[in-house]
Amino acid sequence: DVQLQASGGGLVQAGGSLRLSCAASGFTFDDYIIGWFRQAPGKEREGVSGISSEDDSTYYADSVMGRFTISRDNAKNTVFLQMDSLKPEDTAVYYCTVSPGWSPSLLKLWLLSSPNYWGQGTLVTVSS
């Protein structure tokens, strides 16, 4: 079974930083996109960032561009989301997600999709 174990959430003041981690296991997809979605209270789910297994191409939502950085450690099957200059509007539950069979050219579309597999989520709260 695919398992996505997210961690690293917490409470931080505006302007601060957090680093989310996602330990992925249980899949042997050749090509996939893995990344992060989030859902704030009372709001719709939003794609935040994705990274392609094929060439490590990345894509970011406009709302986080220049502040968040996604990366992955292939040897440890772990994906990271470094979040800097956090704002109160970044407060949300962040979910690690993965979709097999998606090429790097589809990264932008992937952020608008509903990924196949979801982790349990980690709460990020940014105080003003």
Side-chain angles (χ1 to χ4, degrees):
D1 292 345
V2 175
Q3 293 190 6
L4 302 168
Q5 185 68 39
S7 61
L11 174 64
V12 64
Q13 289 188 334
S17 299
L18 281 175
R19 189 190 195 206
L20 304 184
S21 300
C22 172
S25 62
F27 63 88
T28 56
F29 311 133
D30 290 333
D31 298 310
Y32 56 89
I33 293 176
I34 189 167
W36 301 87
F37 279 61
R38 68 184 180 186
Q39 187 161 23
K43 295 188 177 181
E44 293 190 356
R45 186 180 62 198
E46 174 188 22
V48 175
S49 180
I51 184 167
S52 170
S53 68
E54 187 173 327
D55 61 4
D56 284 337
S57 297
T58 60
Y59 197 85
Y60 300 89
D62 289 343
S63 57
V64 306
M65 182 77 71
R67 300 187 298 120
F68 289 11
T69 303
I70 191 170
S71 62
R72 66 190 191 117
D73 182 334
N74 293 342
K76 297 181 180 180
N77 290 330
T78 304
V79 177
F80 305 98
L81 186 68
Q82 177 66 39
M83 305 186 295
D84 298 317
S85 302
L86 282 162
K87 304 175 181 180
E89 51 263 45
D90 294 318
T91 295
V93 177
Y94 284 72
Y95 298 92
C96 182
T97 64
V98 65
S99 296
W102 284 64
S103 68
S105 63
L106 298 176
L107 271 164
K108 182 178 180 179
L109 182 63
W110 183 77
L111 288 188
L112 301 174
S113 75
S114 181
N116 300 79
Y117 300 96
W118 293 70
Q120 86 288 359
T122 184
L123 177 62
V124 172
T125 303
V126 184
S127 63
S128 58

